[in-house]
Amino acid sequence: MDASTKTILSGLFWGGIAVAVLSGSLVMLRLGVQTSLTLFDLAALRFGIAALLLVGVIWRRGWAMDKLGILGVLALITCNGAPYIMVLSFGFEFAPASDAGAINPGLMAVFVGILGWIFLSENMRVAKIAGILAVLAGTALFTDLLTLRQASFGHLIFAITGGMWASYVIIVRKTNLPALHATAIVAVGSALSFLPVYLVSFGGQILQAPARDIAAQAIYQGALTGALAVFAFTKSTEYLGASAGAALTALIPIVTLIMGAAFLGETVDGWKIFACALVGLGVFLTLYAQRSSAASRRSEMTEQQTTPRQWPTGESGA
């Protein structure tokens, strides 16, 4: 097994963990709000628990001001932390959460493909362009937005959050910030900014929920979603590149659909299966483009190493 194959398999491994956890998070989110827990309670659990797990990273490594600067740190926290969750939750007032599960990661993958080409000089091969278009079409079909008759303000909010998430990816890859450090900055920074506001506004309201529900959501939203999923997703972009790593998240609605049918008894329509197939095709094409790009770079490096260096010659005149 060559180095590029190992790299791709490592990226797929971490990306698979991120997709599985984030898909389960949407299912747990639906279960959570069916109890006495609110979206604000779930956000507090997510960032509070994740911050406790990762505060040691900030203690040892700091806030990466040398790489990010204060604006970069604030951008990371805003684009993938508490402000991001609050904006996403605001969209639930106007559109169903299931649409967020499709639009948010789907458009994030599209935005990363475009921004990666602009800011990271990633190649825009035909396969990658086709993959982006397939993901975009599958996402629109999944949410029944091709005719724009079902479009709402909530869908616009979900598209904005997709752009926010994409910005997080680009910042991390542009600064070469390690996955664990980036995850810690988002978690601890979100806890410091969100929890004081939450405690003042809602006090001990969360304690009115059953202890079983609090414990289940604390483990899933905090340890798994807030810490493991963010780390795994960021790690996958290290191995696969921004576009290919982000493309994997477009699989979230597919996995969520399966989990919803298995655990919540939700029905699966035929057109959604076709939309999922389109998204899956788009992800495959994006990964194929990434592998082809890596193979081309490896071939060029080999050619440079094996080609004898030609030194300029000159004739001396009398």
Side-chain angles (χ1 to χ4, degrees), residues 40-70:
F40 298 102
D41 297 330
L42 296 175
L45 288 172
R46 173 172 179 168
F47 296 114
I49 300 300
L52 287 176
L53 293 173
L54 297 170
V55 67
V57 178
I58 299 298
W59 179 265
R60 293 191 303 271
R61 303 184 185 180
W63 294 93
M65 290 293 182
D66 56 328
K67 291 185 176 182
L68 296 170
I70 184 64

mmCIF file of all heavy atoms in Angstrom, residues 40-70:
data_model
loop_
_atom_site.group_PDB
_atom_site.id
_atom_site.type_symbol
_atom_site.label_atom_id
_atom_site.label_comp_id
_atom_site.label_asym_id
_atom_site.label_seq_id
_atom_site.Cartn_x
_atom_site.Cartn_y
_atom_site.Cartn_z
ATOM 1 N N PHE A 40 -31.105 25.682 23.547
ATOM 2 C CA PHE A 40 -30.100 26.393 24.333
ATOM 3 C C PHE A 40 -29.479 25.469 25.382
ATOM 4 O O PHE A 40 -28.275 25.532 25.655
ATOM 5 C CB PHE A 40 -30.720 27.623 25.000
ATOM 6 C CG PHE A 40 -31.249 28.632 24.029
ATOM 7 C CD1 PHE A 40 -32.610 28.729 23.767
ATOM 8 C CD2 PHE A 40 -30.381 29.478 23.350
ATOM 9 C CE1 PHE A 40 -33.092 29.654 22.861
ATOM 10 C CE2 PHE A 40 -30.855 30.411 22.437
ATOM 11 C CZ PHE A 40 -32.208 30.499 22.192
ATOM 12 N N ASP A 41 -30.314 24.605 25.961
ATOM 13 C CA ASP A 41 -29.797 23.623 26.914
ATOM 14 C C ASP A 41 -28.806 22.677 26.228
ATOM 15 O O ASP A 41 -27.740 22.366 26.765
ATOM 16 C CB ASP A 41 -30.936 22.800 27.517
ATOM 17 C CG ASP A 41 -31.907 23.645 28.323
ATOM 18 O OD1 ASP A 41 -31.472 24.659 28.899
ATOM 19 O OD2 ASP A 41 -33.097 23.289 28.375
ATOM 20 N N LEU A 42 -29.174 22.214 25.034
ATOM 21 C CA LEU A 42 -28.316 21.283 24.302
ATOM 22 C C LEU A 42 -26.998 21.947 23.914
ATOM 23 O O LEU A 42 -25.940 21.323 23.958
ATOM 24 C CB LEU A 42 -29.048 20.777 23.057
ATOM 25 C CG LEU A 42 -30.307 19.945 23.322
ATOM 26 C CD1 LEU A 42 -31.009 19.606 22.008
ATOM 27 C CD2 LEU A 42 -29.976 18.683 24.091
ATOM 28 N N ALA A 43 -27.069 23.228 23.535
ATOM 29 C CA ALA A 43 -25.839 23.952 23.194
ATOM 30 C C ALA A 43 -24.950 24.111 24.426
ATOM 31 O O ALA A 43 -23.718 23.989 24.343
ATOM 32 C CB ALA A 43 -26.176 25.320 22.600
ATOM 33 N N ALA A 44 -25.563 24.381 25.579
ATOM 34 C CA ALA A 44 -24.787 24.523 26.818
ATOM 35 C C ALA A 44 -24.090 23.213 27.168
ATOM 36 O O ALA A 44 -22.918 23.205 27.576
ATOM 37 C CB ALA A 44 -25.703 24.963 27.957
ATOM 38 N N LEU A 45 -24.790 22.104 27.010
ATOM 39 C CA LEU A 45 -24.186 20.800 27.277
ATOM 40 C C LEU A 45 -23.057 20.519 26.276
ATOM 41 O O LEU A 45 -21.991 20.016 26.653
ATOM 42 C CB LEU A 45 -25.250 19.699 27.185
ATOM 43 C CG LEU A 45 -26.270 19.645 28.317
ATOM 44 C CD1 LEU A 45 -27.373 18.641 27.989
ATOM 45 C CD2 LEU A 45 -25.595 19.291 29.629
ATOM 46 N N ARG A 46 -23.305 20.858 25.033
ATOM 47 C CA ARG A 46 -22.313 20.585 23.988
ATOM 48 C C ARG A 46 -20.996 21.288 24.276
ATOM 49 O O ARG A 46 -19.934 20.662 24.302
ATOM 50 C CB ARG A 46 -22.867 21.018 22.631
ATOM 51 C CG ARG A 46 -21.867 20.929 21.488
ATOM 52 C CD ARG A 46 -22.537 21.190 20.164
ATOM 53 N NE ARG A 46 -21.596 21.125 19.053
ATOM 54 C CZ ARG A 46 -21.955 21.089 17.775
ATOM 55 N NH1 ARG A 46 -23.235 21.105 17.447
ATOM 56 N NH2 ARG A 46 -21.049 21.042 16.817
ATOM 57 N N PHE A 47 -21.050 22.575 24.501
ATOM 58 C CA PHE A 47 -19.813 23.331 24.656
ATOM 59 C C PHE A 47 -19.253 23.253 26.075
ATOM 60 O O PHE A 47 -18.038 23.328 26.265
ATOM 61 C CB PHE A 47 -20.027 24.778 24.225
ATOM 62 C CG PHE A 47 -20.372 24.906 22.764
ATOM 63 C CD1 PHE A 47 -21.614 25.360 22.365
ATOM 64 C CD2 PHE A 47 -19.455 24.537 21.799
ATOM 65 C CE1 PHE A 47 -21.940 25.455 21.019
ATOM 66 C CE2 PHE A 47 -19.768 24.637 20.450
ATOM 67 C CZ PHE A 47 -21.013 25.090 20.061
ATOM 68 N N GLY A 48 -20.129 23.094 27.054
ATOM 69 C CA GLY A 48 -19.640 22.969 28.419
ATOM 70 C C GLY A 48 -18.835 21.695 28.623
ATOM 71 O O GLY A 48 -17.716 21.729 29.153
ATOM 72 N N ILE A 49 -19.372 20.569 28.180
ATOM 73 C CA ILE A 49 -18.669 19.288 28.331
ATOM 74 C C ILE A 49 -17.419 19.250 27.467
ATOM 75 O O ILE A 49 -16.343 18.821 27.911
ATOM 76 C CB ILE A 49 -19.603 18.118 27.976
ATOM 77 C CG1 ILE A 49 -20.823 18.102 28.901
ATOM 78 C CG2 ILE A 49 -18.854 16.793 28.064
ATOM 79 C CD1 ILE A 49 -20.490 17.950 30.360
ATOM 80 N N ALA A 50 -17.533 19.703 26.216
ATOM 81 C CA ALA A 50 -16.373 19.702 25.320
ATOM 82 C C ALA A 50 -15.254 20.575 25.871
ATOM 83 O O ALA A 50 -14.070 20.229 25.775
ATOM 84 C CB ALA A 50 -16.789 20.184 23.931
ATOM 85 N N ALA A 51 -15.624 21.713 26.460
ATOM 86 C CA ALA A 51 -14.603 22.606 27.028
ATOM 87 C C ALA A 51 -13.881 21.954 28.189
ATOM 88 O O ALA A 51 -12.657 22.090 28.330
ATOM 89 C CB ALA A 51 -15.252 23.922 27.463
ATOM 90 N N LEU A 52 -14.617 21.248 29.030
ATOM 91 C CA LEU A 52 -13.985 20.551 30.162
ATOM 92 C C LEU A 52 -12.979 19.505 29.657
ATOM 93 O O LEU A 52 -11.917 19.314 30.253
ATOM 94 C CB LEU A 52 -15.047 19.871 31.023
ATOM 95 C CG LEU A 52 -15.908 20.799 31.892
ATOM 96 C CD1 LEU A 52 -16.988 19.989 32.610
ATOM 97 C CD2 LEU A 52 -15.044 21.555 32.897
ATOM 98 N N LEU A 53 -13.320 18.839 28.563
ATOM 99 C CA LEU A 53 -12.444 17.803 28.021
ATOM 100 C C LEU A 53 -11.198 18.392 27.354
ATOM 101 O O LEU A 53 -10.140 17.748 27.339
ATOM 102 C CB LEU A 53 -13.210 16.952 27.004
ATOM 103 C CG LEU A 53 -14.354 16.092 27.558
ATOM 104 C CD1 LEU A 53 -15.118 15.436 26.416
ATOM 105 C CD2 LEU A 53 -13.819 15.041 28.528
ATOM 106 N N LEU A 54 -11.322 19.597 26.820
ATOM 107 C CA LEU A 54 -10.249 20.145 25.977
ATOM 108 C C LEU A 54 -9.547 21.366 26.561
ATOM 109 O O LEU A 54 -8.639 21.904 25.922
ATOM 110 C CB LEU A 54 -10.822 20.505 24.598
ATOM 111 C CG LEU A 54 -11.373 19.326 23.793
ATOM 112 C CD1 LEU A 54 -12.138 19.818 22.572
ATOM 113 C CD2 LEU A 54 -10.245 18.402 23.353
ATOM 114 N N VAL A 55 -9.933 21.810 27.742
ATOM 115 C CA VAL A 55 -9.315 23.014 28.300
ATOM 116 C C VAL A 55 -7.819 22.813 28.533
ATOM 117 O O VAL A 55 -7.031 23.769 28.467
ATOM 118 C CB VAL A 55 -10.031 23.417 29.614
ATOM 119 C CG1 VAL A 55 -9.793 22.390 30.715
ATOM 120 C CG2 VAL A 55 -9.588 24.805 30.065
ATOM 121 N N GLY A 56 -7.399 21.574 28.773
ATOM 122 C CA GLY A 56 -5.975 21.305 28.959
ATOM 123 C C GLY A 56 -5.148 21.618 27.723
ATOM 124 O O GLY A 56 -3.974 22.006 27.834
ATOM 125 N N VAL A 57 -5.757 21.462 26.537
ATOM 126 C CA VAL A 57 -5.051 21.785 25.293
ATOM 127 C C VAL A 57 -4.772 23.283 25.222
ATOM 128 O O VAL A 57 -3.672 23.711 24.853
ATOM 129 C CB VAL A 57 -5.874 21.330 24.066
ATOM 130 C CG1 VAL A 57 -5.170 21.713 22.772
ATOM 131 C CG2 VAL A 57 -6.122 19.824 24.114
ATOM 132 N N ILE A 58 -5.758 24.083 25.594
ATOM 133 C CA ILE A 58 -5.570 25.539 25.597
ATOM 134 C C ILE A 58 -4.553 25.924 26.661
ATOM 135 O O ILE A 58 -3.728 26.832 26.457
ATOM 136 C CB ILE A 58 -6.915 26.256 25.848
ATOM 137 C CG1 ILE A 58 -7.912 25.924 24.743
ATOM 138 C CG2 ILE A 58 -6.706 27.765 25.945
ATOM 139 C CD1 ILE A 58 -7.471 26.369 23.363
ATOM 140 N N TRP A 59 -4.571 25.258 27.794
ATOM 141 C CA TRP A 59 -3.624 25.549 28.874
ATOM 142 C C TRP A 59 -2.190 25.327 28.412
ATOM 143 O O TRP A 59 -1.290 26.105 28.738
ATOM 144 C CB TRP A 59 -3.952 24.679 30.078
ATOM 145 C CG TRP A 59 -3.030 24.882 31.254
ATOM 146 C CD1 TRP A 59 -1.919 24.166 31.577
ATOM 147 C CD2 TRP A 59 -3.133 25.915 32.234
ATOM 148 N NE1 TRP A 59 -1.331 24.665 32.711
ATOM 149 C CE2 TRP A 59 -2.055 25.750 33.140
ATOM 150 C CE3 TRP A 59 -4.044 26.956 32.450
ATOM 151 C CZ2 TRP A 59 -1.871 26.575 34.223
ATOM 152 C CZ3 TRP A 59 -3.848 27.775 33.547
ATOM 153 C CH2 TRP A 59 -2.773 27.590 34.419
ATOM 154 N N ARG A 60 -1.975 24.266 27.623
ATOM 155 C CA ARG A 60 -0.617 23.940 27.168
ATOM 156 C C ARG A 60 -0.215 24.714 25.918
ATOM 157 O O ARG A 60 0.923 25.154 25.802
ATOM 158 C CB ARG A 60 -0.492 22.433 26.889
ATOM 159 C CG ARG A 60 -0.604 21.549 28.125
ATOM 160 C CD ARG A 60 -0.203 20.117 27.800
ATOM 161 N NE ARG A 60 -1.005 19.569 26.703
ATOM 162 C CZ ARG A 60 -2.147 18.936 26.873
ATOM 163 N NH1 ARG A 60 -2.664 18.789 28.098
ATOM 164 N NH2 ARG A 60 -2.809 18.444 25.848
ATOM 165 N N ARG A 61 -1.130 24.897 24.999
ATOM 166 C CA ARG A 61 -0.772 25.458 23.691
ATOM 167 C C ARG A 61 -1.245 26.888 23.474
ATOM 168 O O ARG A 61 -0.851 27.526 22.489
ATOM 169 C CB ARG A 61 -1.331 24.575 22.565
ATOM 170 C CG ARG A 61 -0.854 23.121 22.631
ATOM 171 C CD ARG A 61 -1.378 22.353 21.430
ATOM 172 N NE ARG A 61 -1.042 20.937 21.499
ATOM 173 C CZ ARG A 61 -1.379 20.038 20.581
ATOM 174 N NH1 ARG A 61 -2.092 20.426 19.524
ATOM 175 N NH2 ARG A 61 -1.041 18.774 20.712
ATOM 176 N N GLY A 62 -2.119 27.373 24.318
ATOM 177 C CA GLY A 62 -2.608 28.735 24.153
ATOM 178 C C GLY A 62 -3.659 28.829 23.056
ATOM 179 O O GLY A 62 -4.257 27.836 22.648
ATOM 180 N N TRP A 63 -3.854 30.053 22.547
ATOM 181 C CA TRP A 63 -4.919 30.330 21.577
ATOM 182 C C TRP A 63 -4.393 30.463 20.148
ATOM 183 O O TRP A 63 -5.120 30.934 19.265
ATOM 184 C CB TRP A 63 -5.662 31.603 21.971
ATOM 185 C CG TRP A 63 -6.416 31.465 23.246
ATOM 186 C CD1 TRP A 63 -5.976 31.783 24.502
ATOM 187 C CD2 TRP A 63 -7.738 30.944 23.414
ATOM 188 N NE1 TRP A 63 -6.941 31.497 25.435
ATOM 189 C CE2 TRP A 63 -8.043 30.984 24.805
ATOM 190 C CE3 TRP A 63 -8.700 30.455 22.529
ATOM 191 C CZ2 TRP A 63 -9.260 30.554 25.317
ATOM 192 C CZ3 TRP A 63 -9.920 30.018 23.050
ATOM 193 C CH2 TRP A 63 -10.193 30.065 24.420
ATOM 194 N N ALA A 64 -3.162 30.069 19.909
ATOM 195 C CA ALA A 64 -2.566 30.102 18.554
ATOM 196 C C ALA A 64 -2.607 31.500 17.949
ATOM 197 O O ALA A 64 -2.863 31.681 16.762
ATOM 198 C CB ALA A 64 -3.281 29.110 17.629
ATOM 199 N N MET A 65 -2.331 32.501 18.775
ATOM 200 C CA MET A 65 -2.344 33.874 18.289
ATOM 201 C C MET A 65 -1.276 34.107 17.220
ATOM 202 O O MET A 65 -1.452 34.959 16.341
ATOM 203 C CB MET A 65 -2.118 34.840 19.452
ATOM 204 C CG MET A 65 -3.280 34.929 20.418
ATOM 205 S SD MET A 65 -4.734 35.683 19.644
ATOM 206 C CE MET A 65 -5.866 35.692 21.042
ATOM 207 N N ASP A 66 -0.178 33.351 17.290
ATOM 208 C CA ASP A 66 0.878 33.532 16.302
ATOM 209 C C ASP A 66 0.420 33.136 14.900
ATOM 210 O O ASP A 66 0.893 33.690 13.906
ATOM 211 C CB ASP A 66 2.117 32.721 16.689
ATOM 212 C CG ASP A 66 1.796 31.242 16.880
ATOM 213 O OD1 ASP A 66 0.666 30.920 17.310
ATOM 214 O OD2 ASP A 66 2.678 30.408 16.603
ATOM 215 N N LYS A 67 -0.507 32.193 14.826
ATOM 216 C CA LYS A 67 -1.014 31.752 13.526
ATOM 217 C C LYS A 67 -2.316 32.444 13.138
ATOM 218 O O LYS A 67 -2.535 32.755 11.962
ATOM 219 C CB LYS A 67 -1.253 30.232 13.533
ATOM 220 C CG LYS A 67 0.006 29.392 13.609
ATOM 221 C CD LYS A 67 -0.349 27.912 13.493
ATOM 222 C CE LYS A 67 0.911 27.066 13.472
ATOM 223 N NZ LYS A 67 0.595 25.616 13.308
ATOM 224 N N LEU A 68 -3.168 32.683 14.129
ATOM 225 C CA LEU A 68 -4.515 33.169 13.828
ATOM 226 C C LEU A 68 -4.700 34.663 14.064
ATOM 227 O O LEU A 68 -5.420 35.324 13.302
ATOM 228 C CB LEU A 68 -5.534 32.414 14.688
ATOM 229 C CG LEU A 68 -5.670 30.903 14.460
ATOM 230 C CD1 LEU A 68 -6.527 30.277 15.554
ATOM 231 C CD2 LEU A 68 -6.276 30.623 13.089
ATOM 232 N N GLY A 69 -4.060 35.173 15.109
ATOM 233 C CA GLY A 69 -4.372 36.533 15.524
ATOM 234 C C GLY A 69 -5.730 36.551 16.206
ATOM 235 O O GLY A 69 -6.491 35.577 16.159
ATOM 236 N N ILE A 70 -6.084 37.634 16.827
ATOM 237 C CA ILE A 70 -7.339 37.724 17.556
ATOM 238 C C ILE A 70 -8.533 37.560 16.621
ATOM 239 O O ILE A 70 -9.531 36.904 16.962
ATOM 240 C CB ILE A 70 -7.430 39.065 18.335
ATOM 241 C CG1 ILE A 70 -8.720 39.105 19.170
ATOM 242 C CG2 ILE A 70 -7.365 40.255 17.394
ATOM 243 C CD1 ILE A 70 -8.786 38.050 20.246
#
